[in-house]
Structure formats: C-alpha cells, structure tokens
C-alpha cells in the first residue's frame, strides 16, 4: 500500500468567466484565487446545452510559450490555424497543442443537439522550449486506453501510466499525467503520483473523499470543485452513496519566473514586449 497519501491542500470553487467572443466557462486555475499552479496555468470547464453560451467560440487568437490541452466530453470543436492545420475535436478526443514560438488559431464549438462539454488546460513550457516549433498531438477517442478495475472504476489514460498502460500523449516537458477517472459508489481508487510533482483533481460529476481514509484527514468534495493535492506519493479517493468523475492531473513544476499576458506566457516582461512588437509588425507567426 501507499505510505503517504496526498491530502487536499486547497479547495477551489470554479469562477464563472466569459471568454473568447462570448463563451461561458467555469475557470478554476488562472484566476485571482490561484493564478499559477506550476506548471499549470489555466483550467477552463465548458458545459452547456444552450448555443448562446458557446456558439460565438474563440475566433482567431495567438498563443506563445505554452501548451493548450483540449478534452471534449460532448459535442465538437472545430480548429484551424494560420499555418494550415485544421481539424475537429469530437467527444472523447484530446488535442494536445504545443504553441511554442507561436500559433494563431480559432477554436469554434459547433452547435449540435447534444450541446458542448469539455475542458481546456494550459501547461507551461520551460524556458528552453518556449520558442520551439509548434506541434499538435491529435488523439482520437478510440486510441485512448480505458482501464477497467474489478470494483467498477474506469480510467481513461490520456497521458501518464495506469496499471502499466501508458497514454498516447508523449514527449511533454512537464512529464504530465492526465486521467479521466470514474469511481462508482462505495468504492475506492488509488493512484501513485511522483513525490514533488504538482497534482490536482477536478471533480466534475458526483462527489468523493480525497485523502487518507485511515487517518480521518480526508475531505469530501462535490462537483464542480478543484482540489489542489499536497505532496505525497499517491492519491487516494473513496466514494460513499454517490459515484464520482474527475480529472486527475499532475506534472513536474518548472520553478522558473513567469511573465504572463493573456495568451502569452514567457519568463520575462521583455519577452512579452517582444511578442507584442512581432504581433504588431505581422512577424509573429514565422513559418
Ligand atoms: Fe486558443
């Protein structure tokens, strides 16, 4: 068994935010409450059946110095950039985009009967990779392994490893784990997380206790809530009458200074100013 389960360090209630051209989101990282959880810069949760909440989408906008990870649960998001890349992210799919030195793109949720639901996570890039070549990893739902446990728990593995099975996302500097975990009622789930790595759980359905159930220092959290997990070598989740579904995300902190301006995240203010100059001069996207 584990020697040191992680307990909840901070509980964050997502804030309603209007982003893009008028998309309603719940934001739990990248706010005044928690601006940066090294290496994670932002977590947005979108979920609506009303087209007015999402149809305006995210028209053409730039990114530099980060990675954006889009995970669609329901509906479809069309994507297009000025380098000529385009595609669609459907239910169960993940797009892991390394913006690197710069991309200019649009992300447009499609109006469909099932509405839209999903997440966007921003992962910081280390100084040595901020100006790397842009890269897309488009992961189709049917290539994401799903681990089924004897107690009925189900884990989709986007990145990281569960029971020896690794997710398809590869070669990411933060060495991230990104799991979509379902645990049925009256069951438990334990997952090892390397000591020293940053970790959080985002509960988006049901409720569960996180922490060490043997020492009564666990805490129940209900959807929608983000729990920042303190250090330890595993996360331990226990359900009661209700099932739970959550994202479990961890990664290696960069311990670097950040200069953040909207969709640009660099190490220094000077690099931000340089980015804005390139944007004005039309030299931002160079390939
Ligand atoms: Fe974007």
């Amino acid at each position: 068994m584990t020697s040191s389960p992680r307990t909840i360090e901070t509980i964050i209630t997502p804030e309603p935010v209007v982003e893009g051209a008028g998309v309603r989101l719940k934001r739990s990282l990248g706010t005044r409450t928690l601006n940066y959880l090294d290496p994670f810069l932002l977590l947005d949760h979108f979920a609506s059946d009303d087209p007015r909440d999402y149809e305006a989408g995210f028209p053409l906008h730039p990114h530099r110095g980060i990675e954006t990870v889009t995970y669609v649960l329901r509906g479809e998001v069309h994507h297009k950039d000025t380098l000529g890349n385009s595609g669609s992210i459907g239910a169960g799919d993940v797009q892991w985009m390394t913006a690197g030195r710069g991309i200019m793109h649009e992300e447009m949720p499609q109006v469909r009967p099932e509405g839209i639901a999903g997440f966007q996570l921003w992962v910081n890039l280390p100084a040595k990779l901020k100006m790397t070549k842009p890269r897309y990893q488009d992961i189709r739902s049917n290539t994401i392994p799903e681990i089924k446990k004897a107690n009925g728990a189900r884990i989709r593995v986007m990145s990281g490893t569960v029971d020896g099975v690794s997710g398809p996302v590869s070669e990411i500097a933060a060495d991230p784990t990104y799991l979509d975990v379902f645990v049925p009622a009256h069951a438990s789930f334990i997952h090892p997380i390397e000591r020293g790595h940053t970790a959080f759980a985002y509960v988006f359905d049901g409720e569960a206790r996180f922490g060490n159930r043997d020492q009564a220092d666990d805490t129940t959290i209900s959807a929608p809530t983000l729990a920042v997990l303190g250090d330890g070598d595993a996360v331990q989740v226990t359900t009661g009458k209700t099932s739970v579904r959550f994202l479990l995300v961890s990664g290696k902190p960069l311990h670097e200074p950040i200069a953040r301006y909207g969709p640009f995240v660099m190490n220094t203010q000077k690099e931000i100013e340089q980015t804005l100059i390139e944007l004005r001069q039309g030299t931002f996207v160079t390939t």
Side-chain angles (χ1 to χ4, degrees):
M1 289 300 281
T2 58
S3 54
S4 178
R6 291 172 177 244
T7 52
I8 293 177
E9 196 172 79
T10 312
I11 290 176
I12 292 177
T13 302
E15 296 174 15
V17 169
V18 179
E19 191 56 274
V23 179
R24 289 179 189 281
L25 306 160
K26 293 189 189 80
R27 179 166 295 168
S28 43
L29 293 180
T31 68
R32 272 165 200 263
T33 308
L34 186 55
N35 182 50
Y36 186 40
L37 182 65
D38 188 6
F40 304 109
L41 291 152
L42 177 139
L43 181 69
D44 282 343
H45 176 197
F46 44 92
S48 178
D49 299 325
D50 183 346
R52 287 170 297 183
D53 289 342
Y54 65 86
E55 67 187 346
F58 302 88
L60 205 61
H61 62 276
H63 291 283
R64 172 176 280 181
I66 63 169
E67 301 183 285
T68 68
V69 184
T70 308
Y71 177 31
V72 173
L73 296 176
R74 191 170 84 225
E76 189 178 7
V77 177
H78 283 187
H79 165 267
K80 189 160 71 180
D81 76 13
T82 55
L83 300 173
N85 301 294
S86 67
S88 133
I89 312 167
D93 298 344
V94 171
Q95 182 193 68
W96 199 294
M97 183 191 80
T98 305
R101 64 182 174 235
I103 63 111
M104 182 80 82
H105 73 166
E106 59 174 48
E107 297 157 286
M108 303 302 285
Q110 302 298 294
V111 174
R112 292 171 64 118
E114 68 268 36
I116 190 81
F119 307 94
Q120 189 167 83
L121 173 72
W122 290 9
V123 186
N124 203 2
L125 284 168
K128 64 174 191 293
L129 292 176
K130 283 202 178 289
M131 295 299 278
T132 194
K133 192 168 178 253
R135 176 188 183 209
Y136 291 89
Q137 296 189 59
D138 285 309
I139 314 292
R140 290 293 162 214
S141 183
N142 61 9
T143 65
I144 296 173
E146 185 176 69
I147 308 300
K148 295 185 170 77
K149 300 277 198 180
N151 68 0
R154 296 192 301 271
I155 305 107
R156 303 191 81 221
V157 187
M158 278 69 96
S159 72
T161 304
V162 176
D163 293 352
V165 178
S166 293
V169 175
S170 64
E171 294 169 54
I172 302 291
D175 188 20
T177 289
Y178 191 142
L179 309 177
D180 173 355
V181 182
F182 168 81
V183 184
H186 302 294
S188 65
F189 168 76
I190 294 175
H191 181 74
I193 298 175
E194 195 167 323
R195 192 174 282 275
H197 280 205
T198 302
F200 69 84
Y202 184 78
V203 174
F204 61 94
D205 192 34
E207 62 177 38
R209 289 180 289 141
F210 286 73
N212 189 344
R213 65 182 168 195
D214 302 323
Q215 294 183 4
D217 60 359
D218 54 359
T219 305
T220 297
I221 56 172
S222 305
T225 302
L226 185 140
V228 178
L229 302 171
D231 207 4
D233 54 24
V235 59
Q236 187 169 314
V237 180
T238 312
T239 53
K241 293 196 298 267
T242 311
S243 63
V244 70
R245 192 167 169 196
F246 60 97
L247 302 180
L248 181 60
V249 179
S250 68
K252 190 164 65 179
L254 301 177
H255 302 302
E256 290 180 359
I258 67 166
R260 180 172 190 159
Y261 183 79
F264 312 122
V265 185
M266 304 303 288
N267 297 106
T268 66
Q269 194 54 37
K270 197 162 183 298
E271 290 167 330
I272 294 288
E273 284 160 19
Q274 178 60 31
T275 302
L276 294 173
I277 289 169
E278 289 174 31
L279 210 57
R280 270 198 304 274
Q281 293 179 340
T283 55
F284 173 72
V285 174
T286 52
T287 49

